[in-house]
Amino acid sequence: MIQLSNIEKVYRTKTIETIALNNININITRGEFVAIMGPSGCGKSTLLNIMGLLDAPTGGSIIMDDQQVTALSRKKLALFRNLKLGFIFQSYHLINDLSVIDNVELPLLYRKGISGTERRKRALEALEKVGLSARTKHYPNQLSGGQRQRVAIARAIIGNPEIILADEPTGNLDSAMGEEVMNLMLQLNKTDGTTIVMVTHDELMAKKTQRIIHFFDGQQVS
Ligand code: ADP
Ligand code: ADP
């Protein structure tokens, strides 16, 4: 599903050169739930940004869903991202001026041929899946952290993505809420077969996934 070959990322400024990723080779199969762990600065966010097609590697190739994405134009990349990928962030990244249901609908606004009625219907279905049908008209700041993250998950799944990329999804939550969010992701992985890649510092959460990839200093160490 995701095949990273010889991925390298070097950040260059006038005076400093940082090798953030050094010859990364990772194969993630369809339906897998993988955790990525490692100390701060080891390249986890860089890797997730590259898998999310938000940032280009300085070397190597990426195949996602049988497509050589490193060769795609900017426009095709944006389309691929919108159709195939869902994102979950540590700090939720919800829009505070929009209601819960409007937040969830956002990814569909960029798709052609989906009516307003259809968007609503699918947003309600997504909110039902995350157990928030009773909070559609609320605003993000009226919700707990765990509820906000569940809204973000509904937004991530509304477009039926093949792959979900999650950056410290439980990092801002207490253990009970973290557990809830983690269980929800496990359920999505199991019932929908969504491939999930999750960066986490939390060993307990990581252990619930199928595989842990450990990073250190820009390299995969196990
Ligand atoms: P992690 O997510 O594991 O904390 P990052 O991927 O954020 O690690 O960072 C990996 C390395 O790349 C670090 O040394 C960081 O300072 C550097 N880095 C990350 N982003 C940039 C950037 N935009 N410009 C320069 N260096 C960066
Ligand atoms: P998230 O985006 O996962 O919700 P935050 O917004 O709290 O998490 O950001 C996590 C950390 O990653 C911040 O310290 C931010 O500066 C850093 N970060 C995010 N994107 C980049 C990037 N492209 N390059 C370097 N650092 C980044």
Side-chain angles (χ1 to χ4, degrees):
M1 189 58 165
I2 306 176
Q3 195 178 337
L4 304 177
S5 307
N6 310 112
I7 293 294
E8 175 206 80
K9 180 69 182 183
V10 181
Y11 291 107
R12 284 192 181 86
T13 63
K14 275 189 192 125
T15 48
I16 314 169
E17 187 177 277
T18 308
I19 302 174
L21 295 174
N22 186 0
N23 196 30
I24 302 299
N25 291 283
I26 297 177
N27 247 322
I28 296 171
T29 56
R30 196 176 287 272
E32 230 188 331
F33 191 163
V34 175
I36 296 176
M37 297 195 79
S40 192
C42 71
K44 303 182 298 294
S45 299
T46 301
L47 184 73
L48 214 60
N49 283 341
I50 286 175
M51 285 194 205
L53 311 175
L54 299 164
D55 199 3
T58 46
S61 85
I62 309 169
I63 295 173
M64 279 174 124
D65 201 23
D66 299 328
Q67 280 218 51
Q68 177 75 47
V69 289
T70 10
L72 295 179
S73 67
R74 200 172 269 264
K75 211 170 165 181
K76 290 220 168 102
L77 271 182
L79 194 66
F80 186 94
R81 196 184 303 126
N82 185 256
L83 286 174
K84 309 267 183 177
L85 307 182
F87 295 90
I88 304 171
F89 307 93
Q90 178 173 2
S91 48
Y92 327 122
H93 291 191
L94 298 174
I95 298 178
N96 285 322
D97 299 337
L98 293 181
S99 67
V100 161
I101 195 155
D102 285 341
N103 266 284
V104 172
E105 280 183 27
L106 278 177
L108 295 187
L109 281 180
Y110 303 101
R111 290 204 189 169
K112 292 204 175 87
I114 300 181
S115 68
T117 322
E118 172 75 10
R119 276 204 305 273
R120 276 280 125 151
K121 183 171 151 269
R122 287 175 62 174
L124 282 171
E125 284 166 4
L127 283 164
E128 212 160 280
K129 257 192 183 166
V130 303
L132 283 178
S133 313
R135 295 286 186 280
T136 59
K137 301 242 172 67
H138 284 62
Y139 283 80
N141 59 18
Q142 298 172 316
L143 302 176
S144 72
Q147 289 172 332
R148 287 183 209 195
Q149 193 59 298
R150 278 150 59 198
V151 174
I153 292 173
R155 181 187 56 191
I157 63 174
I158 192 172
N160 296 321
E162 308 266 352
I163 301 167
I164 288 180
L165 301 170
D167 194 357
E168 297 269 6
T170 61
N172 283 349
L173 303 175
D174 68 26
S175 57
M177 288 199 281
E179 188 99 355
E180 228 175 59
V181 162
M182 188 63 201
N183 285 338
L184 193 53
M185 291 202 297
L186 285 164
Q187 192 187 320
L188 291 174
N189 171 250
K190 203 171 160 193
T191 58
D192 299 349
T194 314
T195 307
I196 305 182
V197 182
M198 171 179 77
V199 164
T200 185
H201 274 108
D202 191 327
E203 186 99 41
L204 280 176
M205 301 297 170
K207 279 190 174 145
K208 292 175 192 256
T209 69
Q210 292 160 12
R211 175 156 63 118
I212 305 179
I213 296 174
H214 292 275
F215 265 70
F216 191 78
D217 217 3
Q219 284 179 295
Q220 187 184 343
V221 289
S222 69

